[in-house]
Amino acid sequence: MQFEDLIDTQPLWLNEEGLSNEIVLSSRIRLARNLKGYLFPTRAREKELEDVSELVKDAVTKSPYFANGLSFKTKHLSQLDIEFVRERHLLSTKKRTVDCVVGKGEIVSALINEEDHIRIQCLASGLNIKAVYPVIFEIDEILSSNLTYAFRNDFGYLTSCPTNVGTGMRVSCLLHLPGLVLTKEINKLLDDVMSRGFSVRGLYGEGSEIEGNFFQLSNQITLGIDEEEIATKTEKEIRNVIDLERETRNKLMREAGERVEDKIWRSYGILKNARMLSQEEFVNLSSAVRLGIGIGLIDNTYLKLLNYLLLYTAPAHLQKMKGKIMDADTRDIERANYVREVLKCT
Amino acid sequence: MLCDICHIKEATLHYTVVMGDTSTTMYICEDCAKNKGLLPASGLPISRLLLNDANMDLVCNRCGLTFKEFAKTLKFGCSGCYDVFGKDIKSFLEKLQGSPVHKGKSLEKANIETLEKRKKIIELKKALKKAIAKEAYETASKIRDELAKLENAV
């Protein structure tokens, strides 16, 4: 597979399958690992990083999950392509020395020489931590039998950042919580969630803003707790948030049903008719329609389209699809055209 | 209440870092907060506070990272930093993560040794091929002996 083929292939985690898909967009586990005997990427020289990259790529491709995949270096990508892979959740930094290996369907990927020598991640659609867990550790096992990890019995897997040391494991879900936002219960909930040792971020991970009522919830603690416990506790926390969101949606519909319905159908109308749409506007309007699907007002088949649009109307995707660099106004026009075209098909 | 850092001025700010079921609270005067870059507007991680008692003069002999740099960036430079900064890191991790001890999957020492032997075997096999190609049979026979020994051990 070639880099340029990425735009034409949809990541499998975008399909609307998976549990609680009306609230949970995707589930992810990532592991941070480093090699023994090499400085961490922030301090290593280029030659050392190249050696690490060769070793890790060699080991990663031994896993069948990476067969027929794709490998690229951020160093060789344009600014637009960097943004493009970031929108696809394959990359979270702007660092230019990172190697990325992606499995078919973008279910698994490995970042080499980002903050740590190795970051492997596995994604699935909906609430699906249990499906992701065995895959990520199968890959980890293959890597650990082909590479020597930096490990200490007392601190576990050694990582560049002390917030990852121990298991190096981060479990997260991307949640859509419009009910809790509309009723303004979200801040209290987030405070509670954080006080129990979890962190909450925006759509694109660390440092990103909360947009379109999307929240990424993940475990904060990686040391003094084993991998299974991290997965179980995080899933429990997420299920709790899902239950609260469902309860709040029901309450909203009981107490202000017409108002909510009006907001949903107006948003639907704008998406189907607008001639210019900024990304922010699209994300917010599609959040309302997504809520409409969740409460059964709008047909379920729209969910897959909204997931697809969420990715493909992001600025870099839009420009890659059209094959040209566009200014903000042109993007807004093309975004509106594209949204109308996709929603017309239903 | 006096400031937890300078122990001189009256504390006017308090920072609570919550980790799992436990939390650590520090009471700080405004000057110390400013000096440590901890006023809310600075956007710096409050976890830096947890390094308050550490020995700032330590330097990692492998990657050259100083403890001062670590306190600034909160990023280690290599696995050796964990050895050099050991004691201070242990209490830092305990405050940051709620526990200083790994409970997850373990990479047994035996595994590592086996792995290193396996790597050596791969290298020797390559050398053996080269030696045979060069018709250096004496070297090849020595390599073969070494290989046999290692393979038995694994």
Side-chain angles (χ1 to χ4, degrees), chain B:
Chain B
M1 183 178 288
L2 289 181
C3 168
D4 281 341
I5 294 177
C6 65
H7 305 290
I8 301 167
K9 294 199 187 90
E10 191 66 23
T12 52
L13 298 158
H14 73 271
Y15 289 93
T16 306
V17 184
V18 182
M19 297 142 298
D21 302 330
T22 58
S23 67
T24 312
T25 301
M26 290 189 81
Y27 299 88
I28 299 162
C29 71
E30 209 163 322
D31 285 350
C32 285
K34 213 181 267 170
N35 288 338
K36 295 261 169 196
L38 285 163
L39 285 181
S42 71
L44 291 170
I46 290 163
S47 42
R48 202 151 299 160
L49 255 186
L50 304 176
L51 282 168
N52 200 34
D53 311 323
N55 176 2
M56 291 286 164
D57 298 328
L58 291 172
V59 182
C60 172
N61 51 8
R62 273 208 54 223
C63 70
L65 186 84
T66 62
F67 203 97
K68 261 195 191 129
E69 280 175 273
F70 171 72
K72 209 166 145 193
T73 60
L74 291 178
K75 297 276 181 331
F76 294 108
C78 69
S79 48
C81 296
Y82 283 91
D83 303 325
V84 179
F85 304 154
K87 187 171 69 58
D88 289 326
I89 288 308
K90 202 171 174 179
S91 71
F92 169 66
L93 287 176
E94 182 161 16
K95 289 178 201 158
L96 181 73
Q97 296 249 15
S99 157
V101 183
H102 178 57
K103 273 193 196 152
K105 289 180 192 293
S106 88
L107 207 62
E108 293 299 328
K109 213 176 168 194
N111 267 355
I112 296 175
E113 277 167 14
T114 316
L115 206 63
E116 270 160 11
K117 276 179 193 149
R118 272 200 197 125
K119 268 193 192 156
K120 183 83 186 151
I121 289 175
I122 294 169
E123 276 169 31
L124 285 175
K125 277 185 178 162
K126 273 187 198 160
L128 181 63
K129 253 190 197 166
K130 258 189 199 164
I132 292 172
K134 278 190 203 158
E135 298 186 7
Y137 297 115
E138 206 173 309
T139 320
S141 126
K142 269 184 200 159
I143 296 176
R144 228 178 252 128
D145 289 348
E146 210 178 320
L147 258 176
K149 240 190 253 167
L150 269 176
E151 275 175 340
N152 277 339
V154 176

Side-chain angles (χ1 to χ4, degrees), chain A residues 88-103:
Chain A
R88 275 181 113 86
H89 297 274
L90 290 173
L91 196 69
S92 57
T93 81
K94 291 185 172 150
K95 220 177 132 194
R96 301 309 301 258
T97 51
V98 179
D99 272 88
C100 185
V101 192
V102 188

Side-chain angles (χ1 to χ4, degrees), chain A residues 13-159:
Chain A
W13 53 264
L14 256 192
N15 73 32
E16 81 298 2
E17 288 157 16
L19 293 169
S20 305
N21 60 13
E22 88 284 14
I23 293 171
V24 187
L25 204 79
S26 59
S27 305
R28 182 182 86 123
I29 299 183
R30 79 104 171 97
L31 298 178
R33 299 286 187 256
N34 284 285
L35 299 189
K36 193 183 165 196
Y38 294 89
L39 302 191
F40 293 161
T42 44
R43 304 225 24 121
R45 284 166 201 262
E46 202 165 328
K47 174 76 188 61
E48 205 170 349
L49 292 178
E50 276 168 27
D51 289 349
V52 169
S53 166
E54 284 308 305
L55 280 169
V56 176
K57 264 199 271 185
D58 208 48
V60 163
T61 43
K62 286 194 168 69
S63 156
Y65 289 105
F66 286 92
N68 303 318
L70 166 75
S71 163
F72 59 87
K73 273 186 190 308
T74 54
K75 198 163 62 178
H76 301 143
L77 298 185
S78 66
Q79 205 53 49
L80 179 67
D81 283 337
I82 295 261
E83 202 48 42
F84 169 70
V85 287
R86 212 180 68 89
E87 286 171 359
R88 275 181 113 86
H89 297 274
L90 290 173
L91 196 69
S92 57
T93 81
K94 291 185 172 150
K95 220 177 132 194
R96 301 309 301 258
T97 51
V98 179
D99 272 88
C100 185
V101 192
V102 188
K104 212 176 162 209
E106 292 165 62
I107 292 295
V108 297
S109 59
L111 282 184
I112 308 168
N113 291 328
E114 198 198 31
E115 188 180 290
D116 294 297
H117 291 143
I118 314 171
R119 290 271 176 107
I120 43 175
Q121 69 166 8
C122 181
L123 279 149
S125 182
L127 177 63
N128 226 337
I129 295 167
K130 285 193 180 80
V132 172
Y133 189 91
V135 176
I136 202 79
F137 283 104
E138 202 180 314
I139 296 170
D140 186 45
E141 196 141 331
I142 290 178
L143 291 187
S144 81
S145 58
N146 287 282
L147 300 163
T148 314
Y149 282 154
F151 182 89
R152 276 171 59 133
N153 285 331
D154 51 354
F155 295 150
Y157 294 94
L158 305 180
T159 53

Side-chain angles (χ1 to χ4, degrees), chain A residues 1-10 84 88 106 308 312 316-322:
Chain A
M1 192 171 152
Q2 302 293 312
F3 185 81
E4 290 307 322
D5 299 336
L6 266 185
I7 184 78
D8 299 320
T9 54
Q10 271 184 56
F84 169 70
R88 275 181 113 86
E106 292 165 62
Y308 176 81
Y312 279 78
H317 271 77
L318 208 56
Q319 295 177 76
K320 290 281 286 179
M321 229 173 6
K322 293 286 159 192

